[in-house]
């Protein structure tokens, strides 16, 4: 009986030493640990002991109870050391993380890869957007009818606003754009386009031209109809936006040299669609390209004072009159586009 108090005292000292681990080091190496949501302190202790982060799950749970932090244990993925003290492991799993800085990356409808690259760089994303958007395991353009050897994901990079962690790699933006494209494009009914023997990639290419050409919503299906009608008649599309895409210049007036260039994107000289989309269209232009208006128009030109609206014509004679009216209005406007 005289020895019993001594044994109890020794046992209590051992328990306290094991629980508080004085002189215990910070551990070594690194191990990735996942704590499921809703895990109890005992469950967390078992996970840490299994992964050799702490030596005993029981003592970890006891330490969490004694510190009053059982309800503060966070779920998620953590990088911890092996053979940590219970106190250090508890601090790591209850420490509040600093707020994550985010950035809103807004991609306007119709922008090309080269234009998006400028926006991604301005928003502080890391890496080369052009390289990241050249190809991806997340989407194969050939599944949409693109020719083998298509050199980029142009057209598939869906325009929207994306919330990303500041400094994220550009590949994260590309991945979210491709996922958004697949969700959106799956909603578009392509039955009419298929009747015209157009592939999904053809529709995407038409939509990219509609996006660049249309200044108001009502013009989208009408411009798509002009493209369909010209394709059917095997007449060059004559869309200057395709030339601008090849030049990567969307502002300065096109020269006669530009208009007569042998580029594959010169739809004034070459029949059929350009080899790739000339930008990344939104849903409204995708719908217009899949469901053009049933009209016989073959020509269109900006309507003076129309705030981006176009006037459409079936005959070349009418188009010439419309174009002459536009040129007169432009001259009165000092050579600037007379849209307003």
């Amino acid at each position: 009986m005289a020895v019993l108090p001594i044994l109890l005292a020794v046992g209590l000292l051992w328990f306290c030493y094991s629980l508080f681990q004085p002189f215990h080091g910070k551990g070594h190496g690194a191990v990735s640990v996942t704590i499921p949501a809703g895990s109890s302190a005992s469950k967390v202790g078992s996970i840490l002991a299994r992964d050799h982060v702490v030596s005993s799950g029981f003592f970890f749970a006891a330490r969490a109870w004694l510190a009053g932090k059982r309800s503060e244990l966070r779920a998620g993925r953590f990088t911890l050391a092996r053979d940590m003290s219970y106190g250090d492991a508890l601090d790591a799993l209850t420490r509040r993380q600093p707020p994550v800085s985010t950035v809103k990356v807004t991609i306007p409808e119709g922008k090309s890869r080269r234009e998006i690259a400028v926006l991604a760089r301005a928003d502080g994303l890391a890496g080369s957007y052009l390289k990241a958007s050249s190809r991806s395991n997340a989407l194969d353009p050939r599944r949409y009818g693109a020719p083998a050897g298509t050199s980029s994901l142009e057209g598939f990079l869906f325009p929207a606003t994306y919330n990303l962690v500041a400094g994220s790699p550009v590949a994260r933006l590309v991945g979210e754009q491709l996922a958004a494209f697949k969700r959106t494009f799956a909603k578009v009914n392509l039955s009419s386009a298929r009747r015209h023997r157009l592939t999904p990639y053809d529709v995407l290419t038409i939509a990219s031209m509609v996006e660049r050409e249309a200044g108001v919503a009502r013009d989208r299906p009408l411009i798509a109809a002009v493209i369909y009608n010209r394709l059917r008649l095997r007449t060059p599309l004559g869309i200057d936006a395709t030339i601008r895409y090849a030049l990567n210049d969307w502002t300065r007036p096109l020269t006669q040299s530009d208009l007569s260039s042998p580029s594959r994107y010169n739809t004034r000289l070459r029949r059929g669609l350009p080899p790739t989309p000339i930008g990344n269209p939104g849903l409204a232009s995708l719908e217009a390209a899949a469901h053009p208006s049933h009209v016989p128009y073959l020509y269109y030109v900006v309507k003076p004072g129309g705030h981006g609206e176009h006037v459409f014509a079936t005959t070349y004679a009418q188009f010439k009159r419309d174009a002459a009216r536009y040129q007169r209005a432009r001259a009165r406007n000092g050579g600037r586009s007379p849209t307003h």
Side-chain angles (χ1 to χ4, degrees), residues 174-210:
V174 170
E176 293 202 17
Q177 286 182 282
L178 296 178
F181 169 81
K182 288 192 282 190
R183 291 192 303 270
T184 304
F185 200 65
K187 304 173 186 177
V188 179
N189 185 341
L190 298 175
S191 57
S192 176
R194 283 194 289 268
R195 287 195 296 272
H196 288 86
R197 298 184 179 180
L198 296 174
T199 67
Y201 194 66
D202 293 335
V203 172
L204 191 56
T205 302
I206 293 170
S208 72
M209 292 187 285
V210 169

Side-chain angles (χ1 to χ4, degrees), residues 12 32 42 56 71 84 99 114 149 168 203 216 252 256 289 335:
L12 181 60
S32 181
S42 296
S56 167
S71 62
M84 297 178 74
R114 286 178 288 191
S168 291
V203 172
V216 296
R252 70 171 177 82
Q256 189 56 48

Side-chain angles (χ1 to χ4, degrees), residues 46 102 155 162-163 170 210 314:
S46 297
T102 61
Y162 298 92
N163 294 310
V170 288
V210 169
T314 303

Side-chain angles (χ1 to χ4, degrees), residues 109-150:
E109 295 173 341
K111 295 298 184 184
S112 68
R113 290 170 60 235
R114 286 178 288 191
E115 292 173 292
I116 298 173
V118 175
L119 299 175
R121 185 165 55 251
D123 286 326
L125 301 188
S128 168
Y129 184 86
L130 289 178
K131 182 177 180 181
S133 62
S134 60
R135 60 180 58 85
S136 171
N137 292 332
L139 186 146
D140 184 353
R142 291 175 298 181
R143 290 184 172 271
Y144 294 84
T150 297

Side-chain angles (χ1 to χ4, degrees), residues 11-91:
L12 181 60
L13 287 172
W14 171 83
F15 182 86
C16 290
Y17 184 89
S18 298
L19 183 63
F20 292 100
Q21 297 175 299
F23 316 116
H24 196 92
K26 294 293 184 180
H28 58 88
V31 58
S32 181
V33 177
T34 299
I35 306 299
S39 296
S40 65
S42 296
K43 175 65 174 177
V44 174
S46 297
I47 294 172
L48 297 181
R50 180 199 65 197
D51 293 341
H52 307 290
V53 173
V54 298
S55 54
S56 167
F58 167 78
F59 278 110
F60 174 85
R63 184 65 184 270
W65 175 81
L66 191 63
K69 292 186 175 182
R70 290 182 299 174
S71 62
E72 298 178 28
L73 292 167
R74 296 183 297 115
R77 192 173 186 85
F78 301 86
T79 299
L80 304 173
R82 296 183 186 276
D83 193 26
M84 297 178 74
S85 70
Y86 304 123
D88 286 343
L90 187 61
D91 287 344

